[in-house]
Amino acid sequence: MCRWLAYTGSPVLIEEVLYKPEHSLIDQSLHSRLGAETTNGDGFGLGWYDPDAKTPAVFHSIEPAWNDRNLREVASHVESPLFLAHIRASSGTAVQQTNCHPFRYGKWLWVHNGLVRDFHLVKRDLALAVDESLYPYIEGSADSETLFYLALTFGLEDDPPAAVERMVGFVEEVGRRHGIEHPIQMTIGTTNGKTLWAFRYSSERDSRTLFYSTDMRTVREMYSDRPRLQEVSDETRIIVSEPLVDLPGAWNEVPESSYGVVQEGEDELHEFRPVYSRNGS
Amino acid sequence: MCRWLAYTGSPVLIEEVLYKPEHSLIDQSLHSRLGAETTNGDGFGLGWYDPDAKTPAVFHSIEPAWNDRNLREVASHVESPLFLAHIRASSGTAVQQTNCHPFRYGKWLWVHNGLVRDFHLVKRDLALAVDESLYPYIEGSADSETLFYLALTFGLEDDPPAAVERMVGFVEEVGRRHGIEHPIQMTIGTTNGKTLWAFRYSSERDSRTLFYSTDMRTVREMYSDRPRLQEVSDETRIIVSEPLVDLPGAWNEVPESSYGVVQEGEDELHEFRPVYSRNGS
Amino acid sequence: MCRWLAYTGSPVLIEEVLYKPEHSLIDQSLHSRLGAETTNGDGFGLGWYDPDAKTPAVFHSIEPAWNDRNLREVASHVESPLFLAHIRASSGTAVQQTNCHPFRYGKWLWVHNGLVRDFHLVKRDLALAVDESLYPYIEGSADSETLFYLALTFGLEDDPPAAVERMVGFVEEVGRRHGIEHPIQMTIGTTNGKTLWAFRYSSERDSRTLFYSTDMRTVREMYSDRPRLQEVSDETRIIVSEPLVDLPGAWNEVPESSYGVVQEGEDELHEFRPVYSRNGS
Amino acid sequence: MCRWLAYTGSPVLIEEVLYKPEHSLIDQSLHSRLGAETTNGDGFGLGWYDPDAKTPAVFHSIEPAWNDRNLREVASHVESPLFLAHIRASSGTAVQQTNCHPFRYGKWLWVHNGLVRDFHLVKRDLALAVDESLYPYIEGSADSETLFYLALTFGLEDDPPAAVERMVGFVEEVGRRHGIEHPIQMTIGTTNGKTLWAFRYSSERDSRTLFYSTDMRTVREMYSDRPRLQEVSDETRIIVSEPLVDLPGAWNEVPESSYGVVQEGEDELHEFRPVYSRNGS
């Protein structure tokens, strides 16, 4: 229902990645090809890190991304080595800044594409499971934000894959208790400003698409007309809901039910297995 | 922290009450005299009833009321026998439409001036006490909305004064359990489209101001230059956070710790006494 | 680049026409079929007449129509015998309320689909031709608003078809002086609250689509599941950029280079011929 | 009717100047002391320069500055050696992003506090005097933007003081031709990214206030609790509509009918004399 993008690597002007590619995220806000919805006009968000600040900056807007002038200004004047952008197609909850991704807690950012099915049925049970100390930080009404605070409750800051696996297991248990066949559908991107984790999973094992750039030689080719991108390091990576350009070999699909870790040193790709409570389903 | 107005009686063009008086609610949005804040620019709302519709209409905006053109258009073209308007000065929660008053549930509307002190400390306990069937209808993050759903949980639709007294008792009990000396400060207006209830109370017994128009002879004098208002019935009443015009004898203050009922037949004024649970404070 | 709708006839709740049909204008804001753009998410507007007010009401918003809650509230609580609605896909000018249609002057409303080509080249010449007394009323930057004030300058209030034919002739003359091959593309709806005029024309004689409902028997069939619409008079008409429902025989296309007049008594359909100045092209 | 601030000197995090002082510009948006209006809630803008970009960035919003979260995010993550900020109290024209200051043309920024009196009477004459090549860049409806384009027409890019003196002379001539006694009231800040000019003038010689920081030793004292500001260079200057802190000796008033130049090397202060056309008043 949404589209997102994560960039990590050599610092670049955000617009180089967000606006310049042929089928950029901004273009996808009007004309998504692979999404459940073709239009993603229910607000957007951008979160970026810079070396000095303790917490990332977030910029949220309820205007469609394609005509937001402030986004264009920020993107064309801010350089960053790590940023997440998200365009929203609401699955029902209000269009307001507090429902825009990325969600932020301390130095963490979180974006989500997908939905918690029949969220109104399970919202209360999920909210009650959020740690008491975290509960007051929930500002909006989006399912995606509740997933973030559940993951934080389950230890996101210590072991992200384990926390997300427990979070998903919990959501599935609660959903099934309410008679929901396929409780969750998701791709998720999250980062602490150093490492980036990207998850692809759905209860029905038919998850929203997710791609990662193969390696930077390919990215350099993709942007052959952008001199500044020719200088980015080999470790630079882009993860996207759908490819930014049509270029054979440039993108790998994140496999069904798996997650990737983009970090200093070797990147990793693992199977994703929801963890259920002992007395769970 | 806010200002509100309720009108009930003969149908009038909303702007006659909302814009035309010398110290109208719109003027109060820029220059409140009696409020805790002089500027009430963090959004506004209008809710109105018409004879045909099953539920009242609500119009919410995050723009300051004083420069919202759509509000002016609606107010100058819609006639109503019963409406509530509210201008907001946020006590910290986000400025978004879902935090704008009046809140609506079925045929009920609800406006609140004041706050739940240290709301972040008690928010979770209060939210958990909301009936499971009502919980998913909470859309925003404002303390005022939580109070509304608590009142609904405690029977607002059956016996509004009793429900609000139980709600306030509960909020005070929860607050004191968290070490908060004066948990609640409030004036509240609520209506089912026929009867209007107005409450004034605070834990410290030093509540925000609230006034009601004495009788319609006075209101007619107040608006002597408005021919359409000369025809309103004797039962017409206006309730406001602060007077709309300076006119000796036009306004009575709702006494500390009391509530009024504006209805067909005789209006009523009663003492307001929070109700505590048996094992409460 | 936009879509619009005009309704005139028996008073109806606006939502019956605006939201309820299968391929309603609100649906077209997300999924236009016949438009130059599939998404019309750059703001919208609604203008309506009621018996009492001297001037029509207008409601403008820069949010996409499909998720604007206030529009839904107004449309589901206001009845009107004559209203115009418009959804915008900007052809470059800013997304702001003052660029939203319908534009209003006194009791007149004006909606436009199409564009003045290379508007930046001719904007000054067109603005200078606006009558001095009207010039200060131009609030936005849209080509459509300038067309409206030119038509007013050329006598819209006295003889709308003649004024629009002179306006178009003038725009074509100015455009061609600047080397623009096809200066104008348009469908236009305008009304004084009693009569409704609908124009379809383009310099290249390949104009944006425009349709009118044949007669009310058909409309009643179209909305067979809407009891309130079964009672509308035979003179009720709907004019739209693209059909609201797929129903054989329900819609007639306004022919290329022509205009219609919907009025008490017999409706009319005429050829549209731009009028050029004596020393013009 | 507005308040503005200009900073030039050592690069600082924008929030240090915009939010942190006791009576910051953000505080002035709610509680101006010296302005014609106490509330400046009709939008705001921020324009900043960075070493790499060819043109400055601008961020405009129609929300009140005091509750705009995006402004807070940008200000707390962007460092700049030169920026202008403006909070608006509309003198009648629409609240929309295209009416927000700073206005930008190429590498130039422009902020204005004050008004063109009876602007609706003179708007057309002023607009017609704007150079044909510049006219299409006018996007909004504010008098301040027209003043900017007139100044550009009169040579702002070559000799700013001379251009502003001619602009003011022209506005006064046009105004007096329309019977307006005191056509213009202004403080203006403008910059090309290197030098900053600040003007104070009004036809009635009773101009809105304008102050500049004396020297950086004083500024360092003002912000003694802000370590990062202790390191700014001696050439750093702040110019403001009203002082940011109460500190004896920290601020000098720009004298009536004068302008200052903040530049590398010695700053300058000169008399401001409108220049009239030969056949002018």
Side-chain angles (χ1 to χ4, degrees):
Chain A
M1 306 285 186
C2 308
R3 307 277 85 183
W4 59 268
L5 170 157
Y7 174 95
T8 173
S10 303
V12 290
L13 212 50
I14 292 169
E15 70 167 0
E16 297 283 342
V17 178
L18 201 54
Y19 282 89
K20 298 300 172 70
E22 182 196 338
H23 187 50
S24 72
L25 196 73
I26 303 306
D27 181 60
Q28 293 176 26
S29 69
L30 267 173
H31 308 292
S32 164
R33 298 170 188 172
L34 304 180
E37 305 284 349
T38 55
T39 306
N40 293 277
D42 300 337
F44 70 86
L46 170 68
W48 74 90
Y49 293 84
D50 52 51
D52 302 337
K54 281 177 220 147
T55 58
V58 292
F59 179 84
H60 289 154
S61 170
I62 58 172
E63 288 186 49
W66 66 78
N67 65 31
D68 194 282
R69 294 185 175 197
N70 289 324
L71 177 60
R72 194 174 286 268
E73 292 290 322
V74 167
S76 63
H77 286 85
V78 172
E79 272 200 6
S80 172
L82 174 48
F83 54 91
L84 272 68
H86 184 277
I87 52 176
R88 188 165 178 248
S90 169
S91 56
T93 52
V95 176
Q96 56 192 21
Q97 286 188 14
T98 55
N99 283 350
C100 290
H101 310 218
F103 298 100
R104 176 178 62 190
Y105 179 79
K107 61 185 178 183
W108 287 78
L109 292 179
W110 176 274
V111 291
H112 169 228
N113 170 28
L115 77 166
V116 175
R117 291 211 175 71
D118 294 312
F119 183 53
H120 62 286
L121 292 181
V122 296
K123 184 181 181 180
R124 187 170 180 275
D125 285 358
L126 299 183
L128 297 202
V130 170
D131 189 85
E132 277 193 47
S133 66
L134 293 168
Y135 185 89
Y137 292 95
I138 299 179
E139 279 204 307
S141 57
D143 50 359
S144 308
E145 189 187 24
T146 297
L147 296 183
F148 181 32
Y149 281 92
L150 281 172
L152 285 162
T153 298
F154 289 131
L156 183 70
E157 293 163 292
D158 297 322
D159 184 344
V164 175
E165 288 179 333
R166 283 188 63 198
M167 177 273 280
V168 168
F170 179 75
V171 171
E172 291 192 320
E173 286 174 330
V174 168
R176 280 167 188 151
R177 219 182 299 138
H178 284 83
I180 302 159
E181 192 182 358
H182 300 307
I184 193 167
Q185 166 68 259
M186 71 180 215
T187 68
I188 281 173
T190 189
T191 176
N192 57 4
K194 296 207 165 163
T195 301
L196 174 71
W197 292 264
F199 300 86
R200 184 181 182 209
Y201 177 78
S202 59
S203 304
E204 64 269 42
R205 304 297 192 278
D206 183 15
S207 305
R208 301 276 193 271
T209 55
L210 192 63
F211 299 85
Y212 60 99
S213 59
T214 43
D215 66 37
M216 271 324 288
R217 273 160 304 193
T218 321
V219 172
R220 284 188 205 110
E221 272 173 56
M222 279 160 47
Y223 301 102
S224 61
D225 56 338
R226 313 237 142 255
R228 297 179 75 169
L229 283 180
Q230 299 311 306
E231 302 151 23
V232 302
S233 73
D234 282 353
E235 300 227 333
T236 297
R237 289 288 176 277
I238 301 177
I239 301 180
V240 286
S241 297
E242 62 186 79
L244 303 178
V245 288
D246 294 330
L247 198 60
W251 301 98
N252 283 332
E253 191 165 5
V254 176
E256 180 62 52
S257 303
S258 62
Y259 70 92
V261 188
V262 183
Q263 57 195 345
E264 261 190 79
E266 201 75 19
D267 294 344
E268 298 171 18
L269 190 63
H270 298 281
E271 196 184 344
F272 181 87
R273 275 173 297 204
V275 172
Y276 304 99
S277 62
R278 252 164 278 162
N279 48 358
S281 60
Chain B
M1 306 287 188
C2 308
R3 307 278 82 184
W4 59 268
L5 170 158
Y7 174 94
T8 172
S10 303
V12 291
L13 212 50
I14 291 169
E15 70 166 1
E16 298 283 341
V17 177
L18 201 54
Y19 283 89
K20 298 300 173 71
E22 182 196 338
H23 188 50
S24 71
L25 196 73
I26 303 306
D27 181 59
Q28 293 175 27
S29 69
L30 265 173
H31 309 291
S32 165
R33 299 170 188 172
L34 304 179
E37 304 283 349
T38 55
T39 306
N40 294 275
D42 300 336
F44 70 86
L46 170 68
W48 74 89
Y49 292 85
D50 52 51
D52 302 336
K54 280 177 222 148
T55 58
V58 292
F59 180 85
H60 290 154
S61 171
I62 58 171
E63 288 186 49
W66 67 77
N67 65 31
D68 194 282
R69 295 185 174 196
N70 289 324
L71 176 61
R72 195 173 286 269
E73 292 290 319
V74 167
S76 64
H77 285 86
V78 171
E79 272 201 5
S80 170
L82 176 48
F83 54 91
L84 273 69
H86 185 278
I87 52 177
R88 187 164 179 250
S90 169
S91 55
T93 52
V95 176
Q96 55 191 23
Q97 287 189 14
T98 55
N99 283 351
C100 290
H101 311 219
F103 298 99
R104 176 178 62 189
Y105 179 78
K107 61 185 179 182
W108 288 79
L109 291 179
W110 176 275
V111 290
H112 168 229
N113 170 27
L115 76 167
V116 175
R117 289 208 176 74
D118 294 313
F119 182 52
H120 62 286
L121 292 181
V122 296
K123 185 181 181 181
R124 187 171 180 273
D125 285 358
L126 299 183
L128 297 202
V130 170
D131 189 86
E132 276 191 48
S133 67
L134 293 168
Y135 185 89
Y137 292 95
I138 299 178
E139 280 203 307
S141 57
D143 50 0
S144 308
E145 188 186 25
T146 297
L147 296 183
F148 181 33
Y149 280 93
L150 280 172
L152 285 162
T153 298
F154 289 131
L156 183 71
E157 293 164 294
D158 298 322
D159 185 344
V164 175
E165 288 179 335
R166 285 189 61 198
M167 177 273 280
V168 168
F170 179 75
V171 172
E172 291 192 320
E173 287 174 329
V174 169
R176 280 164 189 154
R177 220 182 298 139
H178 284 83
I180 301 161
E181 191 182 359
H182 299 308
I184 192 167
Q185 167 66 259
M186 72 179 214
T187 68
I188 280 172
T190 189
T191 177
N192 57 6
K194 297 207 164 162
T195 301
L196 175 72
W197 293 264
F199 300 86
R200 184 181 181 210
Y201 176 78
S202 59
S203 304
E204 64 269 43
R205 303 299 191 276
D206 183 15
S207 304
R208 300 277 191 270
T209 56
L210 192 63
F211 299 85
Y212 59 100
S213 59
T214 44
D215 65 36
M216 271 323 288
R217 273 161 304 192
T218 321
V219 173
R220 284 188 205 109
E221 274 173 54
M222 279 161 44
Y223 301 101
S224 61
D225 57 337
R226 314 234 143 256
R228 297 179 75 170
L229 282 181
Q230 299 310 306
E231 302 151 23
V232 302
S233 74
D234 282 353
E235 303 227 332
T236 298
R237 289 288 176 277
I238 301 176
I239 300 180
V240 287
S241 298
E242 62 186 78
L244 304 178
V245 289
D246 294 329
L247 199 60
W251 302 98
N252 284 330
E253 193 166 4
V254 176
E256 179 61 53
S257 303
S258 63
Y259 69 92
V261 188
V262 183
Q263 56 194 345
E264 261 191 78
E266 201 72 19
D267 294 345
E268 298 171 20
L269 191 62
H270 298 281
E271 196 184 344
F272 181 86
R273 277 174 296 205
V275 172
Y276 305 99
S277 63
R278 253 164 278 164
N279 49 359
S281 59
Chain C
M1 305 288 189
C2 309
R3 307 278 83 184
W4 59 268
L5 169 157
Y7 174 94
T8 174
S10 303
V12 291
L13 213 49
I14 291 168
E15 70 165 1
E16 297 283 340
V17 178
L18 201 54
Y19 282 89
K20 299 300 172 71
E22 182 196 336
H23 187 50
S24 72
L25 196 72
I26 303 307
D27 181 59
Q28 292 175 26
S29 68
L30 266 174
H31 309 291
S32 165
R33 298 170 189 173
L34 304 179
E37 304 284 350
T38 54
T39 306
N40 294 276
D42 300 335
F44 70 86
L46 170 68
W48 74 90
Y49 293 85
D50 51 51
D52 301 336
K54 281 176 222 149
T55 57
V58 292
F59 181 86
H60 289 155
S61 171
I62 58 171
E63 288 186 48
W66 67 77
N67 66 29
D68 193 281
R69 294 185 174 197
N70 290 324
L71 176 60
R72 195 174 286 268
E73 292 290 321
V74 167
S76 63
H77 286 85
V78 171
E79 271 201 5
S80 171
L82 175 48
F83 54 91
L84 273 68
H86 184 278
I87 51 176
R88 189 165 177 249
S90 169
S91 56
T93 52
V95 176
Q96 55 192 23
Q97 286 188 15
T98 55
N99 283 349
C100 290
H101 311 220
F103 298 100
R104 175 178 62 189
Y105 179 79
K107 61 185 178 183
W108 288 79
L109 291 180
W110 175 274
V111 289
H112 169 228
N113 170 27
L115 78 164
V116 175
R117 290 209 176 74
D118 294 314
F119 183 52
H120 62 287
L121 292 181
V122 296
K123 185 181 181 181
R124 187 169 180 275
D125 286 358
L126 299 183
L128 297 202
V130 170
D131 190 85
E132 277 193 45
S133 66
L134 294 168
Y135 185 89
Y137 293 94
I138 299 179
E139 279 204 307
S141 57
D143 51 359
S144 308
E145 189 187 24
T146 296
L147 295 184
F148 182 32
Y149 280 93
L150 281 173
L152 285 162
T153 298
F154 290 131
L156 183 72
E157 292 164 292
D158 297 322
D159 185 343
V164 174
E165 288 179 332
R166 284 189 62 196
M167 177 273 278
V168 168
F170 179 75
V171 171
E172 292 193 319
E173 285 174 330
V174 168
R176 281 166 189 153
R177 218 182 299 140
H178 284 82
I180 301 160
E181 191 182 359
H182 299 308
I184 193 167
Q185 166 68 257
M186 70 180 216
T187 68
I188 280 172
T190 189
T191 176
N192 57 5
K194 297 209 162 161
T195 301
L196 175 71
W197 292 264
F199 300 86
R200 183 182 183 209
Y201 177 77
S202 59
S203 304
E204 64 270 42
R205 305 296 192 278
D206 183 14
S207 305
R208 302 274 193 271
T209 55
L210 192 63
F211 299 85
Y212 59 100
S213 59
T214 43
D215 66 35
M216 273 323 288
R217 272 160 304 192
T218 320
V219 172
R220 283 189 205 109
E221 272 173 56
M222 280 160 44
Y223 301 102
S224 61
D225 57 337
R226 314 236 144 256
R228 297 179 73 170
L229 282 180
Q230 299 311 305
E231 302 151 23
V232 302
S233 74
D234 281 352
E235 302 225 334
T236 297
R237 289 288 176 277
I238 301 176
I239 300 180
V240 286
S241 297
E242 61 185 80
L244 304 177
V245 289
D246 295 329
L247 199 59
W251 301 97
N252 284 331
E253 191 166 5
V254 176
E256 178 61 53
S257 303
S258 62
Y259 69 92
V261 187
V262 183
Q263 57 195 344
E264 260 190 79
E266 201 74 19
D267 294 344
E268 297 171 20
L269 191 61
H270 299 281
E271 195 184 343
F272 180 86
R273 277 173 297 202
V275 172
Y276 304 99
S277 62
R278 253 165 277 163
N279 48 359
S281 60
Chain D
M1 307 286 188
C2 309
R3 306 277 86 184
W4 60 268
L5 170 158
Y7 175 94
T8 173
S10 303
V12 291
L13 212 50
I14 291 170
E15 71 166 1
E16 297 283 342
V17 177
L18 201 55
Y19 283 89
K20 297 300 172 70
E22 182 196 336
H23 187 49
S24 72
L25 196 73
I26 303 307
D27 181 60
Q28 293 176 26
S29 70
L30 265 174
H31 308 293
S32 164
R33 298 170 188 174
L34 304 179
E37 305 282 350
T38 55
T39 307
N40 294 277
D42 301 335
F44 70 87
L46 170 68
W48 74 89
Y49 292 85
D50 51 52
D52 302 335
K54 282 177 222 148
T55 58
V58 291
F59 180 84
H60 290 154
S61 170
I62 58 172
E63 287 187 50
W66 67 77
N67 66 31
D68 194 282
R69 294 184 173 197
N70 289 324
L71 176 61
R72 196 173 286 269
E73 292 291 320
V74 167
S76 63
H77 286 85
V78 172
E79 271 200 4
S80 172
L82 174 48
F83 54 92
L84 273 68
H86 185 277
I87 52 176
R88 187 164 178 249
S90 169
S91 56
T93 52
V95 177
Q96 56 192 22
Q97 287 188 14
T98 55
N99 284 349
C100 291
H101 311 221
F103 297 100
R104 176 179 60 190
Y105 179 79
K107 61 184 178 182
W108 287 79
L109 291 180
W110 176 274
V111 290
H112 169 227
N113 171 26
L115 78 164
V116 175
R117 290 210 175 73
D118 294 313
F119 183 52
H120 62 286
L121 292 181
V122 297
K123 184 181 181 181
R124 188 170 180 273
D125 285 358
L126 298 183
L128 297 202
V130 170
D131 189 85
E132 277 192 48
S133 66
L134 293 168
Y135 185 90
Y137 293 95
I138 300 178
E139 278 203 310
S141 57
D143 51 359
S144 308
E145 189 187 24
T146 297
L147 295 184
F148 181 32
Y149 280 93
L150 280 172
L152 285 163
T153 298
F154 290 131
L156 184 71
E157 292 163 293
D158 297 323
D159 184 344
V164 175
E165 287 180 335
R166 284 188 63 196
M167 178 273 279
V168 168
F170 179 75
V171 171
E172 291 193 319
E173 285 175 329
V174 168
R176 280 166 189 153
R177 217 183 298 140
H178 283 84
I180 301 160
E181 192 183 357
H182 298 308
I184 193 167
Q185 165 68 258
M186 71 180 216
T187 67
I188 281 172
T190 190
T191 176
N192 57 5
K194 297 208 164 163
T195 301
L196 175 71
W197 292 265
F199 300 86
R200 184 181 182 210
Y201 177 77
S202 59
S203 304
E204 65 270 41
R205 305 297 191 278
D206 183 15
S207 304
R208 301 276 193 270
T209 55
L210 192 64
F211 299 85
Y212 60 99
S213 59
T214 43
D215 65 35
M216 271 323 289
R217 273 159 305 191
T218 321
V219 172
R220 285 189 204 107
E221 273 173 54
M222 280 161 45
Y223 301 102
S224 61
D225 56 338
R226 315 233 143 257
R228 297 179 74 171
L229 282 180
Q230 298 311 307
E231 302 151 24
V232 302
S233 73
D234 281 352
E235 301 225 333
T236 296
R237 290 287 175 276
I238 302 177
I239 300 180
V240 286
S241 297
E242 61 185 81
L244 303 177
V245 289
D246 295 329
L247 198 59
W251 301 99
N252 284 331
E253 193 166 4
V254 176
E256 179 62 52
S257 303
S258 62
Y259 69 91
V261 188
V262 184
Q263 57 195 345
E264 260 190 79
E266 200 74 18
D267 293 346
E268 298 170 19
L269 191 62
H270 298 281
E271 195 184 343
F272 180 87
R273 277 173 296 204
V275 172
Y276 304 99
S277 62
R278 253 163 277 163
N279 49 358
S281 60

